[in-house]
Amino acid sequence: MSGNAVLEGVLERITYANEENGYTVARVDTGRGGGELLTVVGSLLGAQVGESLRMTGRWGSHPQYGRQFTVENYTTVLPATVQGIRRYLGSGLIKGIGPKTAERIVDHFGLETLDVIEAEPKRLIEVPGLGPKRTALIAAAWEEQKAIKEVMVFLQGVEVSTSIAVRIYKKYGDASISVVKNQPYRLAAEVWGIGFLTADRIARAVGIPPDSPERVKAGLQYALSQATDAGHCYLPEERLIADAVKLLQVDTGLVIDCLGELAADPEGVVREAVPDPEHPDGTVTAVYLVPFHRAELSLAGQVRRLLRAEEDRLAAFQGVDWERALGWLAQRTGAELAPEQRDAVRLALTERVAVLTGGPGCGKSFTVRSVVELARAKRAKVVLAAPTGRAAKRLAELTGAEASTVHRLLELKPGGDAAYDRDRPLDADLVVVDEASMLDLLLANKLVKAVAPGAHLLLVGDVDQLPSVGAGEVLRDLLAEGGPVPAVRLTRIFRQAQQSGVVTNAHRINAGMPPVTQGLADFFLFVEDDTEEAGKLAVDVAARRVPARFGLDARRDVQVLTPMHRGPAGAGVLNGLLQQAVTPARPGLPEKRFGGRVFRVGDKVTQIRNNYEKGANGVFNGTVGVVTGLDADEQRLTVVTDEDEEVGYDFSELDELAHAYAVTIHRSQGSEYPCVVVPVTMSAWMMLQRNLLYTAVTRAKKLVVLVGSRRALGQAVRSVSAGRRCTALDARLAGRLESLAEPRP
């Protein structure tokens, strides 16, 4: 039933908001005196605290909260009383006006305040303490607010959330409404946070027919980009067509025609026959998004080019007396290298590209340190990098030399172009990259392009960990049988590492044996079969028990890692509980609610998209930091990242941040924590795989606590992830693609 009751009131506070569907529970002041607040529920997307709302809907009652109003629609009305105007302006709606400034402005202009800001903003200079600069700022913010409101009203008709409406406005400005009406599928490609499904909903609302070629092409590209999000570099043509038919609910013939059009468009997609041993023909027609095809071709070409380079920037090692060199090294480091470590050191210093892999406790770090020591002894220029800030810090501590993230090393610019590439290579004789299992296709390509011909590249990583978050399985492809890249796999666990339960259990899990969970000082299992209870127990262990017993700091030293984002033991729910335990609300502690989340000073947060505009060289997906400041007047939140960089966020950008008290195991790659707490529950059984559990356990330096059921743990140890990612990098490296005929048109 559609309501016809009308309610007017000032939005006082939002008590709950679901970011995904906009369902909101809020309290409004209807001005009936006595300061009583009324509960309203429903979709209030875009309404800001302090605004006066005219809501239509229906009255009802709730067993616990009494009388309440269910909102079906609302419009904002400008407040009509001095008190309302003061609250409206002071609510943080307009940048540059906080509560104190609002009071001064309203004291000066009274009921005319909003008319003055609207029609004669220059008069704001009459207000004591407002200079021309702030006056201009406020006028501009008001204009922008008005323009955004207009876009909002239009977009609310097609059910788009505020934060996305703000982003559409920032991207297209005054052209927003026209883009949304005439080319809605552009949004999916150009605005972060809008996927095909949102764009499709908008397109339907503005009357674009379901079988329009624009829609089908956008759907095909969306299906491919979903596949790259899942780690694939391409999709087999048959699978792509089937996915698109299911997604779009249109005829197969139409999808095939539109795929043909995309393949003919240089910026569309690329089709190419690639080897596939599982296919009856031995090949499959692969369909790539253009950037991934370019990157795969380029990466394979660059690796082969480096391997074949004429010159050698470490030529001194070609004729070296290895016994003497390694003897000198043992004196310097105080330890002998094991035979397989010696092979790795020689390989790195004599081959132009080499890979070193192995599990924890097998001496990868010591081997890397040895390579760096020897190279430096010959006055070589050594450059060290890792995909994350934490991994780079660790590499620097280990070698005593400077290390940076790959992004910073290449000086990535807005748009993702690097300052260093084939035309301007890095000035380095040896480039060492640690945690190389995290390198995805696009980043690996940028990195290898920047290595000068004749320089050596050493990639170090654990190939049994989860593959990169981004598309590709670069480390595995480089290690593939029959490939051109020389590699050493360290397998021997060193004696001191054998005393560590974390290390021995990591190797047990990797070999398909259940971990030992009794009698160890650094590896525990708390059994709890119920998923929700296991989630709560994990929080209690991380926030209270581990800090109390081991003297670790709950925020800095303990990390909860979960297989999934959703569900009662998923990162989303656990972050809420951990925040309450570690950084609870306190009087005088500033906080900002955004969508369904509350940000407070002291919160542990993580960036969830690559943003090249922030910080010195961009802030990247997975960067972790702590909220150190929150300014309501300037509407800015300040985060200090684990690379010790201070980064500011406008309140409208807070959907780029998520809490990081709990993160998914995928997001924890390349990071190390003194202690990890891992819920392992049957509700995550789809995700429970050996490499996932192995990755979680190997993140811990000192202590692992598993919380959950023995059955789920057994499932994780037994399940080897079946699906390989779709990539043809190994075939390109081995030269197996040149022999295939041109693909059929």
Side-chain angles (χ1 to χ4, degrees), residues 90-150:
S91 66
L93 201 66
I94 308 296
K95 217 175 179 165
I97 304 187
K100 291 195 180 76
T101 309
E103 199 147 321
R104 289 211 298 271
I105 296 174
V106 178
D107 284 351
H108 190 81
F109 293 114
L111 281 174
E112 291 172 27
T113 300
L114 298 179
D115 299 334
V116 169
I117 299 179
E118 170 75 38
E120 317 170 76
K122 287 200 168 63
R123 281 188 59 199
L124 284 169
I125 205 152
E126 299 169 15
V127 177
L130 278 192
K133 234 167 119 178
R134 290 235 352 245
T135 299
L137 186 80
I138 291 170
W142 179 265
E143 280 308 308
E144 182 177 17
Q145 188 60 32
K146 248 181 28 197
I148 290 179
K149 270 278 182 282
E150 193 186 337

Side-chain angles (χ1 to χ4, degrees), residues 399-412:
T399 53
E402 214 174 295
S404 68
T405 61
V406 177
H407 295 106
R408 274 174 204 275
L409 174 68
L410 301 176
E411 291 176 21
L412 288 187

Side-chain angles (χ1 to χ4, degrees), residues 575 579 597-600 603-606 657-663:
N575 263 317
Q579 184 190 33
R597 294 199 274 266
V598 178
F599 290 97
R600 300 190 180 113
D603 268 341
K604 187 163 156 183
V605 291
T606 176
L657 283 179
H659 289 107
Y661 298 100
V663 297

Side-chain angles (χ1 to χ4, degrees), residues 27 149 194 426 455 536 547 631:
R27 309 274 285 161
K149 270 278 182 282
I194 297 191
L426 294 163
K536 288 181 186 157
D631 184 328

